[in-house]
Coordinates of all heavy atoms in Angstrom, one line a residue:
Chain A
P20 N -73.7 -192.4 227.4 CA -72.9 -191.8 228.4 C -71.6 -192.5 228.6 O -71.5 -193.7 228.3 CB -73.8 -191.9 229.7 CG -74.8 -193.0 229.3 CD -75.0 -193.0 227.9
A72 N -96.5 -194.4 218.1 CA -96.9 -193.2 218.8 C -96.0 -192.1 218.6 O -94.8 -192.3 218.3 CB -97.0 -193.5 220.3
G158 N -96.6 -203.7 221.7 CA -97.4 -202.5 222.1 C -98.9 -202.6 221.7 O -99.2 -203.5 220.9
E201 N -85.0 -160.0 228.3 CA -85.7 -161.1 227.5 C -84.8 -161.4 226.3 O -84.3 -160.5 225.6 CB -87.0 -160.6 227.0 CG -87.8 -161.8 226.4 CD -89.3 -161.4 226.1 OE1 -90.1 -161.6 227.1 OE2 -89.6 -161.0 225.0
P229 N -54.7 -164.3 231.5 CA -53.9 -165.5 232.0 C -53.1 -166.1 230.9 O -53.5 -166.1 229.8 CB -54.9 -166.4 232.5 CG -56.3 -165.7 232.4 CD -56.1 -164.6 231.4
E256 N -73.8 -163.1 222.7 CA -74.9 -164.0 222.5 C -74.7 -165.3 223.3 O -73.8 -166.1 222.9 CB -75.1 -164.3 221.0 CG -75.5 -163.0 220.3 CD -75.8 -163.3 218.8 OE1 -75.5 -164.4 218.3 OE2 -76.5 -162.4 218.2
A320 N -99.2 -194.3 234.6 CA -100.4 -194.3 233.8 C -100.3 -195.3 232.7 O -101.4 -195.7 232.2 CB -100.6 -192.9 233.2

Side-chain angles (χ1 to χ4, degrees):
Chain A
E201 186 169 279
E256 296 186 344

